[in-house]
Amino acid sequence: AANDISLASHLQARLPNASAGKAVGFLITAELGTIMALSYLLGFVFDFLPVGAGLVGVSVALTLLAGLFYRGYAKLRPGWKPQK
C-alpha cells in the first residue's frame, strides 16, 4: 500500500494538473484489475493441481519473472552496453 501511495504522489507531482487525476486513476484501476485477474488465475491453479505442484509452478513462474525484471533493470543502468 505504501508503494501505491508513493507512486501516486510521484506521478501527481510530475504530471500537469489537468491530467494527473486521470493518469493516477487509470494506473490504480489497471493495478486492481491485474491483482483480481492474477488472484482468479492462482485460484484455478490451486484448484486443478495438487498443492505441491501448484507451489512449484508458482515458484518457477515468480523466479522467471524476477529474472525478466533484473534483465530490464540492467538495461536502465547508466553505462549499460548490449552484449555481443
Side-chain angles (χ1 to χ4, degrees):
N3 193 27
D4 297 341
I5 293 170
S6 176
L7 175 63
S9 63
H10 174 76
L11 288 174
Q12 286 178 341
R14 301 249 186 292
L15 293 172
N17 289 337
S19 62
K22 293 176 186 177
V24 171
F26 173 77
L27 289 175
I28 290 175
T29 302
E31 176 187 10
L32 291 176
T34 302
I35 290 170
M36 288 172 37
L38 289 176
S39 295
Y40 192 69
L41 289 173
L42 280 175
F44 276 125
V45 167
F46 287 115
D47 283 345
F48 292 115
L49 295 176
V51 175
L55 287 175
V56 168
V58 169
S59 297
V60 167
L62 290 175
T63 301
L64 293 173
L65 187 62
L68 289 174
F69 281 138
Y70 180 76
R71 185 179 172 127
Y73 171 73
K75 292 180 181 180
L76 294 176
R77 283 185 280 168
W80 178 81
K81 293 185 177 130
Q83 297 176 352
K84 294 180 181 181

